[in-house]
Amino acid sequence: MSDISLPAAIVIVVALLVLAFGLYLLRGGRLRSLDLQLLKGLFSTKWSIDTRSSKIDPKESQPTEVIDEQCAAHQVLKWLQDKINKTDGCYVITESRHENARTAANLYTRLNGEIIATCFFESPDYGRGDFATTVTVGTKFVRITSSDMCNEDITKTVVARFSEFPCTAQLAIVPANVEISKIGGIFCKFPDKSCLAFIALNNVQDNAFNRGLVFYGVIAEQLFRYYDGFVARYSCR
C-alpha cells in the first residue's frame, strides 16, 4: 500500500472511532440521526441525540472485536489487497474514483451471503454495466436508495433488470422524509456471520480524488445491521 501521511491516518482513525460511537448510540436508540461526511476536505459529522432518556442498561452486552483470520470477511479482504496490490494492514484505502470503481467491481465477484449496497446520491439504475450483475448465485443482494433518487420509471427499470441477475436482487426505496444516515457503500454479511464494508469517502472539492475504505469486523457488522433494518420495511415487492 502506498504510504499514508500521518495527518490523513489520524483523520481516518478518529473518523472510525466517532463512527463506532455513533453506531453504539444508534443501537441504543439514543441517536436519532447521523449525517456523516468523511474526508470531505477533512472530516465532519452531525448527530441528533434523543435526550428523553439518559438511562443505559448496564446489562446490555457490547460487541467485542475478535480478529479471526479464518473468517470469510478477512479472506476476501486479503484477496482484495493482493488483487489491487495494497497488501498492508487489515484494511484497504483507495485513492481515487477509478480505484473505488475497480474495488467495487472486484468485491462483487467475491462477496456472498447477504449484500446491501447503498445508493443515496445518484440514480440506482446503473444500466447494463451494473457491477452487481457479477454477484454469485445464492447471494441475497439489496440496493437501498432514497425516493428522491428513484422515480416510478427508474423503479420499474431497476426491478425488471434485477429479475435477470443470477443472484436474488431487490430494490429498497426509503421515503425522502424518513431519517436515515446516508453513507455510500457496500455492506456484506457472509454465511459465517463475518462482515465486510466498503465506504466511499467523497471529496467535494474534486471527486476524481474520492477515497474509499474497505474493512471488516464489528463496525462493518453494525453498519450492515443498521441498513438491514430499513430493508424489510422498504423493499419493493
Side-chain angles (χ1 to χ4, degrees):
M1 178 181 288
S2 61
D3 291 337
I4 304 171
S5 67
L6 180 59
I10 291 173
V11 169
I12 292 169
V13 170
V14 171
L16 286 177
L17 290 174
V18 172
L19 175 60
F21 181 64
L23 288 169
Y24 162 71
L25 291 175
L26 277 168
R27 184 184 181 194
R30 299 185 68 209
L31 185 63
R32 298 179 60 191
S33 64
L34 170 64
D35 183 3
L36 185 69
Q37 298 181 21
L38 298 176
L39 295 183
K40 291 187 175 183
L42 282 177
F43 160 73
S44 65
T45 182
K46 182 173 65 178
W47 298 349
S48 175
I49 301 293
D50 188 348
T51 57
R52 290 172 295 179
S53 174
S54 59
K55 296 181 180 179
I56 299 176
D57 185 354
K59 297 181 180 180
E60 182 181 358
S61 61
Q62 298 303 317
T64 301
E65 185 75 87
V66 177
I67 303 300
D68 180 4
E69 294 189 354
Q70 301 305 314
C71 73
H74 181 267
Q75 294 300 314
V76 170
L77 179 66
K78 299 305 290 184
W79 170 85
L80 179 66
Q81 289 177 329
D82 292 337
K83 184 76 173 178
I84 64 178
N85 196 29
K86 292 179 178 288
T87 56
D88 293 334
C90 56
Y91 54 85
V92 168
I93 295 179
T94 55
E95 305 293 341
S96 67
R97 187 176 184 179
H98 173 73
E99 277 197 350
N100 280 350
R102 182 185 172 198
T103 297
N106 281 317
L107 283 175
Y108 277 131
T109 67
R110 295 294 293 242
L111 299 179
N112 60 81
E114 299 178 58
I115 303 171
I116 299 174
T118 59
C119 186
F120 296 119
F121 309 108
E122 58 190 355
S123 169
D125 180 13
Y126 293 118
R128 295 296 174 183
D130 194 328
F131 295 146
T133 58
T134 61
V135 175
T136 57
V137 175
T139 299
K140 177 184 176 182
F141 172 77
V142 179
R143 179 167 291 152
I144 185 169
T145 188
S146 176
S147 61
D148 55 0
M149 291 291 168
C150 189
N151 60 32
E152 185 176 348
D153 289 339
I154 292 175
T155 299
K156 290 179 180 178
T157 298
V158 173
V159 170
R161 188 166 290 130
F162 278 4
S163 68
E164 301 172 359
F165 280 23
C167 62
T168 300
Q170 288 183 303
L171 180 67
I173 305 174
V174 180
N177 63 342
V178 171
E179 289 186 349
I180 183 171
S181 300
K182 296 182 178 180
I183 304 173
I186 301 170
F187 311 97
C188 177
K189 182 172 75 173
F190 292 91
D192 67 356
K193 309 302 182 183
S194 63
C195 294
L196 184 77
F198 169 43
I199 296 176
L201 309 174
N202 295 333
N203 184 331
V204 294
Q205 281 74 38
D206 187 348
N207 64 15
F209 293 98
N210 287 354
R211 286 190 170 187
L213 180 64
V214 185
F215 56 96
Y216 74 104
V218 168
I219 296 177
E221 178 185 356
Q222 293 301 314
L223 285 167
F224 177 88
R225 290 176 61 188
Y226 175 72
Y227 287 114
D228 192 44
F230 291 90
V231 170
R233 283 178 282 172
Y234 300 113
S235 289
C236 299
R237 303 299 180 183

